[in-house]
Amino acid sequence: MKKIILLLLIMPTISSAQLKNTIKKVISKTPTVSAIDISNGLKEALDKGIKKQVVKLTQKDGFYKNELVKIVLPEELQKVDTRLRQIGLSSLADEGILLLNRAAEDAVKEATPIFVDAIKNMTFTDAKNIVLGQENAATNYLQSTTSVALYASFNPVIKNSLAKVGADKIWNQIITKYNSIPLVKKINPDIAEYTTNKTLAGVYKMIAVEEKEIRTNLTSRNSDLLKKVFALQDKK
């Protein structure tokens, strides 16, 4: 654009035909980003985020040793944890927390094909709005398009996983022990539903981490397409 303005300033010294020809050459050398480039670049970024971050969550301790997403007890059970430790049952409380995270790690294995479908169905308009949007625009898009399917997929897996590793029995034991303490208010939380929601939150949190990395760290754009597409948001 600066070159074009300079040409306009010196226009009186050259012919109209020469000017038009020169402007065409300058414009032709100006990099452009097509709708297809934007769409493919964003899909590459999302694929990268899923492979780098979500897959990590499926590994042993992917949740349990990741402080960003580790599942701890729901608020109504915090008092259970405290009371169990007070009466010498800290190992039981620790095992209960570990098994919740193991169930989450098991469930996230179901996530990748659901994300792949969401990315595949993304329109050019979706892609452009995401690239030029807020730093969590891609994460928000995936959350709006996948959360229902992921919940439906995660919940039965988590229920089965809790049963498979004996977590359901452990939690029944924990809750029974707690409810047997004199004068405490009896509780009966839905651990599977709580774990499912926390698993979903953890997945989106890690995608957001990767999205922010690509948007703000130039070295994370490790392909020509990513550099080209996300340069657009740098200029907005």
Side-chain angles (χ1 to χ4, degrees):
M1 184 58 70
K2 290 180 180 178
K3 292 180 180 178
I4 293 173
I5 293 171
L6 180 61
L7 287 171
L8 291 174
L9 291 175
I10 63 172
M11 183 170 59
T13 65
I14 60 177
S15 70
S16 176
Q18 288 175 316
L19 179 63
K20 288 179 180 178
N21 186 49
T22 304
I23 289 177
K24 284 181 181 179
K25 288 181 179 179
V26 171
I27 292 175
S28 68
K29 292 179 181 179
T30 302
T32 59
V33 184
S34 68
I36 293 176
D37 284 338
I38 293 174
S39 179
N40 289 340
L42 181 61
K43 289 176 181 179
E44 180 181 329
L46 292 176
D47 283 338
K48 181 179 180 228
I50 289 169
K51 289 175 182 175
K52 182 178 178 181
Q53 298 293 352
V54 176
V55 172
K56 284 181 182 178
L57 296 176
T58 69
Q59 299 169 359
K60 184 179 179 181
D61 293 329
F63 270 83
Y64 188 62
K65 291 189 177 179
N66 182 344
E67 291 304 317
L68 287 176
V69 297
K70 181 179 179 179
I71 299 174
V72 295
L73 295 182
E75 186 175 349
E76 65 177 314
L77 287 180
Q78 292 293 338
K79 55 188 177 182
V80 178
D81 180 82
T82 301
R83 193 72 180 95
L84 288 176
R85 295 180 192 282
Q86 288 173 345
I87 61 176
L89 294 173
S90 58
S91 61
L92 185 62
D94 289 336
E95 186 177 4
I97 293 171
L98 173 63
L99 293 178
L100 294 185
N101 286 273
R102 288 288 181 265
E105 292 154 11
D106 205 21
V108 175
K109 295 171 185 176
E110 306 291 319
T112 300
I114 294 172
F115 281 126
V116 169
D117 284 343
I119 294 169
K120 190 185 302 180
N121 292 326
M122 184 182 294
T123 67
F124 291 142
T125 301
D126 289 333
K128 182 178 179 180
N129 289 340
I130 290 168
V131 170
L132 299 178
Q134 300 299 314
E135 68 174 21
N136 61 345
T139 305
N140 288 341
Y141 170 83
L142 287 177
Q143 191 163 2
S144 68
T145 56
T146 64
S147 58
V148 173
L150 286 179
Y151 184 94
S153 178
F154 284 0
N155 192 248
V157 173
I158 284 173
K159 286 180 178 178
N160 290 336
S161 181
L162 291 173
K164 180 175 67 178
V165 297
D168 54 343
K169 293 179 181 178
I170 291 292
W171 276 103
N172 283 336
Q173 186 180 353
I174 288 173
I175 292 168
T176 299
K177 286 272 188 186
Y178 179 80
N179 286 342
S180 68
I181 298 172
L183 304 178
V184 301
K185 182 180 178 181
K186 303 296 187 282
I187 61 169
N188 188 27
D190 187 334
I191 293 299
E193 181 178 1
Y194 170 77
T195 305
T196 301
N197 287 326
K198 284 297 185 180
T199 303
L200 283 170
V203 167
Y204 294 124
K205 181 171 286 188
M206 295 314 298
I207 291 176
V209 166
E210 186 61 23
E211 179 179 3
K212 184 175 181 180
E213 177 74 5
I214 291 173
R215 287 187 184 274
T216 60
N217 185 354
L218 298 181
T219 60
S220 69
R221 303 172 191 175
N222 55 3
S223 77
D224 290 338
L225 184 57
L226 284 179
K227 291 173 185 176
K228 182 178 181 182
V229 169
F230 281 93
L232 291 175
Q233 63 120 54
D234 298 336
K235 299 173 183 176
K236 68 178 181 179

